Amino acid sequence: MSARLFFTLLPPYALACVALGLAAGPLVTESPLVPNALVYFGIYVLALRLSLIIHEAGHLVFARIAGGKPMRLVLGMGIHEVYRRQFFGVAFIVHKNFRGGYAHASFTTGHHLKLRYALYIAGGALGNLIIAAIFRMLSGPPLWPHETYFYVDLSSIIIISNVFLAVWSLVPFMTSVQGRRVPTDGLYLLKLPFIPQKDVKFNADADALYDIHRLTEAKEYTQALTLLQTYLELHPTEHTQQLTHAHLLLKTGQFDASLKRSLTLRDHLHEKAFKPYTGLLYNLLAWTYLVVDDIEQADIHSALAVQAIPGDVNFRGTRGAVLVEKGKIGEGVPNLLQSMDFEFVNSATLSAAIYMLLACHRKGDLITRDKYRAFLEANYTNLDLDEKHLFDRMLTRTGLTLQATPAL
């Protein structure tokens, strides 16, 4: 296990609280409340992370029981991955920002689909409650921290954290996952009985869609585009996959074709099935307009993307790039810095670095500008075609050149 993964799963502040509490405990034996509180806080943070893993795994276990195919388990949100592995056909992914998570399974037949889908959606909470019940049977009722001044009851912590996460997941509200507005488990279960059978998600070609997604993540854009075009011949009205098509056109250097495809999708944003993708479409349009150097349209659509989902880091990164283009450096840079991390090389950090280079150049901060330039040059071969197009444009604008010919 890498140090990065270790400290993502076991955050230093939680470990520090536990260590400090344990160290201080023997020094204040007559008043152990503060050290005990530190230990409890640290262990609850760790237990909630364990509960999240149990929750997402529960979705996939119950999906399998319901006849579905587990595809993916993601822990954390955001743009920086610290771990990715494939086990038994399931992709396990951990993000640096360990906040929330999600699981994905596919159902390739419609037989008793609503009942099976309900079991899959409820599987996360059921997994938490099963673990809580096991520890309840083994150790008795849970004790609250104020009942255990002189020791830490790990069993109680596990029971309470799992019950808490199960209950929280069943609270009905809308949330955001990877740029899409989605219902929580509880809201989806409430809506499921009223959703027409034909609108409940299942797809006989789920394996093909997963292959497209996997190839896209691996930056095998040409192969993904070929598979998607075949898929769209069979499903020409699936607007979510047409959005993927526009993205892949952009990534394969077909900028005008991507823009044309994206613009046709704006007319479908009122449709219930496509409306959750509003932010993603506006963000793609904004970025594509940046690539084709139409800053005014990029400004309009980046603002709409952030308005759709204000907290999305990718959307704010695009917004920051637009603001820098418009000369609003003070407003743009904070948005870009949300995506920037020199320890991670991905589209988010590379795109942010391109516009941080421009921002620093315009501010006259040449030392910091050259830091971003060096980062981009060192990772030139990792740039996608749209990113190379923008980087080359920035080099021209700033009067810079590549200091070394990149290996292609």
Side-chain angles (χ1 to χ4, degrees):
M1 179 186 293
S2 69
R4 185 183 289 172
L5 176 61
F6 179 85
F7 287 116
T8 297
L9 297 175
L10 307 174
Y13 72 88
L15 297 176
C17 284
V18 174
L20 185 60
L22 292 174
L27 304 177
V28 287
T29 55
E30 295 182 359
S31 181
L33 180 60
V34 173
N36 200 42
L38 286 171
V39 173
Y40 260 103
F41 174 78
I43 294 180
Y44 262 109
V45 169
L46 302 178
L48 283 169
R49 294 186 174 219
L50 176 61
S51 299
L52 177 62
I53 296 171
I54 292 168
H55 183 91
E56 303 306 339
H59 281 300
L60 297 186
V61 168
F62 280 93
R64 176 71 75 183
I65 292 171
K69 181 178 181 179
M71 308 287 276
R72 169 171 299 224
L73 187 153
V74 180
L75 300 172
M77 299 292 180
I79 52 182
H80 302 314
E81 288 184 10
V82 298
Y83 181 83
R84 176 186 286 263
R85 289 290 186 276
Q86 191 93 2
F87 296 105
F88 306 107
V90 179
F92 291 85
I93 301 165
V94 180
H95 286 113
K96 178 184 176 183
N97 182 7
F98 203 103
R99 178 182 58 83
Y102 62 94
H104 176 67
S106 65
F107 291 83
T108 56
T109 64
H111 186 60
H112 297 304
L113 184 60
K114 281 193 179 183
L115 181 60
R116 294 159 59 213
Y117 215 79
L119 186 59
Y120 158 50
I121 296 298
L126 289 173
N128 289 131
L129 294 175
I130 288 170
I131 295 298
I134 291 172
F135 276 86
R136 167 67 174 79
M137 289 187 293
L138 293 175
S139 61
L143 301 173
W144 294 99
H146 70 275
E147 300 178 276
T148 57
Y149 283 132
F150 295 96
Y151 67 94
V152 173
D153 184 22
L154 289 174
S155 178
S156 295
I157 293 174
I158 291 173
I159 293 171
I160 292 169
S161 61
N162 274 277
V163 170
F164 169 79
L165 193 58
V167 172
W168 177 251
S169 72
L170 296 176
V171 176
F173 63 94
M174 294 295 292
T175 186
S176 300
V177 175
Q178 302 297 85
R180 294 179 294 119
R181 296 289 293 168
V182 297
T184 60
D185 296 345
L187 181 56
Y188 195 90
L189 287 171
L190 286 176
K191 293 168 65 175
L192 188 59
F194 307 101
I195 298 175
Q197 181 75 17
K198 63 181 179 64
D199 292 336
V200 181
K201 294 179 181 178
F202 86 96
N203 197 308
D205 297 316
D207 287 344
L209 287 176
Y210 185 72
D211 286 341
I212 292 164
H213 187 71
R214 177 180 54 80
L215 287 168
T216 301
E217 289 186 327
K219 295 196 170 190
E220 300 290 346
Y221 299 125
T222 301
Q223 293 182 50
L225 182 59
T226 300
L227 286 178
L228 182 58
Q229 287 170 338
T230 301
Y231 178 88
L232 287 174
E233 288 175 3
L234 300 173
H235 308 277
T237 61
E238 286 199 16
H239 302 314
T240 55
Q241 301 311 320
Q242 290 173 6
L243 180 60
T244 303
H245 187 219
H247 172 73
L248 290 173
L249 289 170
L250 176 71
K251 291 299 178 181
T252 52
Q254 302 176 66
F255 306 142
D256 291 336
S258 173
L259 185 58
K260 182 178 179 181
R261 168 65 86 175
S262 296
L263 288 171
T264 64
L265 293 173
R266 286 192 306 186
D267 296 333
H268 300 283
L269 285 175
H270 66 282
E271 296 175 10
K272 188 175 182 180
F274 193 54
K275 192 173 183 179
Y277 296 83
T278 298
L280 285 171
L281 175 59
Y282 284 141
N283 188 64
L284 178 59
L285 277 165
W287 187 256
T288 309
Y289 276 122
L290 274 177
V291 172
V292 300
D293 209 16
D294 187 340
I295 307 306
E296 290 308 312
Q297 286 297 322
D299 184 28
I300 293 169
H301 288 88
S302 65
L304 288 170
V306 172
Q307 181 181 332
I309 303 183
D312 189 272
V313 176
N314 277 315
F315 298 176
R316 289 204 164 274
T318 302
R319 183 64 183 155
V322 173
L323 290 169
V324 168
E325 282 277 16
K326 291 176 68 66
K328 299 179 180 180
I329 308 298
E331 295 179 50
V333 165
N335 286 291
L336 291 169
L337 289 177
Q338 291 183 36
S339 300
M340 198 61 234
D341 190 327
F342 288 105
E343 293 186 8
F344 295 87
V345 178
N346 53 46
S347 286
T349 54
L350 293 169
S351 298
I354 291 170
Y355 281 94
M356 285 302 299
L357 181 152
L358 179 62
C360 292
H361 181 83
R362 288 180 171 175
K363 289 193 301 181
D365 185 355
L366 304 187
I367 293 175
T368 306
R369 179 202 69 182
D370 289 342
K371 181 181 178 182
Y372 287 105
R373 173 189 180 183
F375 177 70
L376 289 161
E377 288 180 339
N379 297 288
Y380 189 85
T381 56
N382 292 309
L383 292 169
D384 295 334
L385 290 178
D386 57 316
E387 295 154 0
K388 285 181 180 178
H389 184 77
L390 287 169
F391 182 40
D392 291 342
R393 181 189 297 162
M394 296 310 149
L395 291 176
T396 301
R397 287 185 182 177
T398 56
L400 299 173
T401 58
L402 286 175
Q403 292 191 351
T405 303
L408 299 176

